[in-house]
Amino acid sequence: MAASFANQELTRSQADGFRGWVLLQFGADWCGHCQAAQAPIEEALLHRQDITHLKIEDGKGRALGRSFSVKLWPTLILLRDGQEVDRIVRPTTTAEVNRLIGRAQ
């Protein structure tokens, strides 16, 4: 599990090139909604070692979030082989995150 949001910029071509299941979590460490969602996200991913979880710092000047049309934090985007399968915005429960990652089969 990623402890804090990655400060380095990931490019869209890198994201599109991912293989397997990847959960992109866009947000910021100081974001209250992101902090509140962290426990449900971690709980849902606890037994899903088949999903790579990347926390991506988002904000002004961050091209990756804009390329995925991220508008609110946190936004979780489930990718399979670099293609978006589904997303949720501002989850508040483990059940919401489980519904998203349940698509990874």
Side-chain angles (χ1 to χ4, degrees), residues 23-92:
L23 182 67
L24 299 179
Q25 178 183 346
F26 289 92
D29 288 327
W30 52 264
C31 167
H33 294 286
C34 299
Q35 293 167 5
Q38 198 53 49
I41 294 167
E42 288 178 6
E43 184 176 338
L45 289 170
L46 190 60
H47 300 291
R48 294 300 307 259
Q49 288 77 26
D50 59 319
I51 300 174
T52 300
H53 177 217
L54 300 175
K55 292 174 72 174
I56 308 297
E57 185 176 308
D58 194 36
K60 187 175 184 175
R62 301 289 181 149
L64 187 61
R66 303 304 68 75
S67 75
F68 280 104
S69 299
V70 171
K71 301 208 185 298
L72 297 172
W73 300 334
T75 293
L76 281 65
I77 300 175
L78 182 64
L79 305 177
R80 181 176 187 187
D81 295 331
Q83 299 297 310
E84 183 173 340
V85 174
D86 205 354
R87 70 173 61 199
I88 57 174
V89 178
R90 290 191 174 167
T92 57

